[in-house]
Amino acid sequence: MAFDLQIRAADWRSHLVATRDAHPAIVPVIKGNGYGLGRQRLAGEAFRLGTDMIAVGTYEEAAELLGAFTGDVQVLTPWRPFSPRVADGRLIHTVSRLEDIAPLAAQLPGARVVVEGLTSMARHGLDRHHITEAARLIGEAGLVVEGFAIHLPMAGANLAEARTWCAILETSALPATTVFCSHLTVPELEQLRTERPNLTIRPRVGTALWLGRLDTLEVRSTVLDVHTVQRGERVGYRQGRVPRDGHVLVVAGGTSHGIGLEAPRAVAGVAGRGKAVAKGGLAAAGLALSPFTIAGKQRWFVEPPHMQASMILLPEGVPVPAVGDRLPAAVRYTIAQFDSITEV
C-alpha cells in the first residue's frame, strides 16, 4: 500500500530549533503514536536538539525510549502498584497519590520522582492540602524528588492557576525547585519566571513542537483503482447505491491508517454547534466527507473506509486521476499511521 508522509526536513527542523529556543529548559513530549511521526524518530530529534530529558506517556513507551534517548525519561502517567516494572536510573516517575509512595519505594528503592498537583484538569494529582504530607512520606521512603508537576487545561489563560501552584510549592515542605508544566504560552512562561526567580520552570511541549508547522508535512495517498459507475449502481461491502454518474476511486488509506477514525471534539459557539448538527445530519444520511482532495475539493466516501483502502466517489465531469497518481490527504496526526515516512 502507499499511504505516505513526506517531511520537508530542513524547514521542520528549523521550527523545532525555534520552538526549543523559545522554551528554555523544554522537555519534549513523545507519546502515543509519536504524533504520527513515530516515537523513535522523535527521540532522535530530541537528542539532536540537545535536550536532557523527554517525557513519555506510559511505562511501555519509557521501556522503549530508554534505549533510544541517552538523557532522562519522565513518565507522565502516574505510578501505580500495577504499573510495569521499569528499573533504570534515568527514569523519573510521577507520584499523584499518597498511598503510592510506600509501594513505589518498596519496589524501586531510591527512585526519582516528580510530585503532581491536582489542577483544574481534575485528572491526576495530589490535592494542595496533601503536598506537605507527601513531602514527609517521600522523605521517609527515601525517594528522590526531581520536581513538581502541573498539567493545565488547553482552554488557555492558565497563568493564574500556575501562579497559585508555584506559591503552594514554595510554601510547602516539598524539596523541589523545578516546576514541570504544560499549556502555558511563551509570554506566560516568561512572566512566571520573572515572578518566581527561585523556581526553574520547565515546559513540557508536544503538539506545538512536533506539529507546529503542518505546512512542512505532506500526506499522500496512491490511487489503486478507478471504476466507471452509473447512478443507482450498487458498490462496496454494503452494496449501497451510487447517487450519481461518475467514477469510484479506490485509494490507499483505511482504518488501519487512522482514516475515518474520529475522537469527540469540543464544540463552542453557535457556528460550531451548527456545523456539528449539519455533520450529524449528513452522517445520518450515510454521507461523509473523506480526507482525500481531488481537483481542489475533498471528496465523499462511497462507504465507510476499509481496513487499508477507501472508496471515493468522483462525480462525472471532474478530471479522473490515473492508477498510481498521488492524492493529498488531510489527517489527524495523533491517530495516523503511515506506510512510510520520508524526508526531503
Side-chain angles (χ1 to χ4, degrees):
M1 306 299 284
F3 185 73
D4 305 322
L5 172 65
Q6 196 171 79
I7 304 173
R8 207 163 70 241
D11 291 335
W12 181 61
R13 290 198 174 101
S14 177
H15 161 73
L16 300 186
V17 170
T19 304
R20 177 204 63 191
D21 292 347
H23 295 79
I26 189 174
V27 179
V29 176
I30 304 172
K31 61 182 181 179
N33 68 344
Y35 296 85
L37 305 170
R39 293 191 296 267
Q40 293 279 339
R41 178 185 302 274
L42 299 190
E45 295 299 330
F47 175 79
R48 187 195 299 262
L49 289 172
T51 57
D52 66 335
M53 181 187 298
I54 60 174
V56 301
T58 68
Y59 280 92
E60 290 81 0
E61 293 168 358
E64 172 196 347
L65 294 187
L66 280 164
F69 182 74
T70 58
D72 292 335
V73 178
Q74 182 181 146
V75 183
L76 299 177
T77 298
W79 186 88
R80 296 289 185 262
F82 49 79
S83 296
R85 188 178 188 277
V86 182
D88 192 292
R90 292 184 290 125
L91 196 66
I92 300 175
H93 309 265
T94 297
V95 170
S96 69
R97 303 190 309 168
L98 296 176
E99 56 265 42
D100 290 328
I101 294 172
L104 172 58
Q107 185 179 120
L108 297 167
R112 303 164 68 193
V113 301
V114 296
V115 176
E116 183 169 7
L118 183 63
T119 69
S120 58
M121 274 281 295
R123 190 164 75 173
H124 301 299
L126 289 164
D127 181 272
R128 64 189 182 91
H129 300 294
H130 296 157
I131 302 300
T132 296
E133 177 65 6
R136 182 184 68 80
L137 293 174
I138 286 171
E140 292 175 354
L143 299 176
V144 178
V145 177
E146 296 287 346
F148 184 70
I150 49 174
H151 191 65
L152 299 164
M154 295 177 66
N158 291 320
L159 181 57
E161 184 169 8
R163 282 171 168 155
T164 297
W165 279 107
C166 286
I168 291 169
L169 173 62
E170 289 202 307
T171 57
S172 75
L174 194 69
T177 58
T178 298
V179 177
F180 298 96
C181 56
S182 60
H183 306 139
L184 290 173
T185 65
V186 169
E188 287 172 339
L189 289 166
E190 292 174 349
Q191 182 66 30
L192 200 59
R193 291 188 179 101
T194 299
E195 295 174 1
R196 297 288 174 178
N198 294 326
L199 297 178
T200 299
I201 308 299
R202 301 204 62 177
R204 301 186 295 203
V205 186
T207 303
L209 177 64
W210 309 120
L211 299 178
R213 277 286 306 275
L214 291 179
D215 62 299
T216 67
L217 308 176
E218 183 177 55
V219 180
R220 292 281 173 171
S221 167
T222 302
V223 177
L224 305 174
D225 234 323
V226 180
H227 307 294
T228 301
V229 292
Q230 294 181 327
R231 180 181 178 182
E233 188 174 340
R234 292 186 180 276
V235 298
Y237 276 133
R238 293 159 182 81
Q239 288 293 280
R241 293 187 184 276
V242 176
R244 65 186 71 179
D245 294 348
H247 295 82
V248 167
L249 273 61
V250 182
V251 302
T255 55
S256 66
H257 300 95
I259 298 298
L261 306 184
E262 188 174 15
R265 294 179 182 272
V267 177
V270 175
R273 291 186 176 91
K275 290 178 182 179
V277 169
K279 188 175 181 180
L282 290 170
L287 298 173
L289 269 179
S290 81
F292 306 101
T293 297
I294 303 171
K297 291 184 178 181
Q298 278 185 257
R299 300 298 171 175
W300 298 95
F301 283 119
V302 169
E303 65 176 7
H306 306 164
M307 184 175 287
Q308 292 178 310
S310 296
M311 299 177 72
I312 309 302
L313 179 62
L314 196 61
E316 191 173 38
V318 178
V320 182
V323 171
D325 282 355
R326 308 278 281 160
L327 307 177
V331 301
R332 186 170 182 175
Y333 284 91
T334 52
I335 60 172
Q337 297 287 340
F338 301 103
D339 294 324
S340 70
I341 300 177
T342 57
E343 297 183 5
V344 295

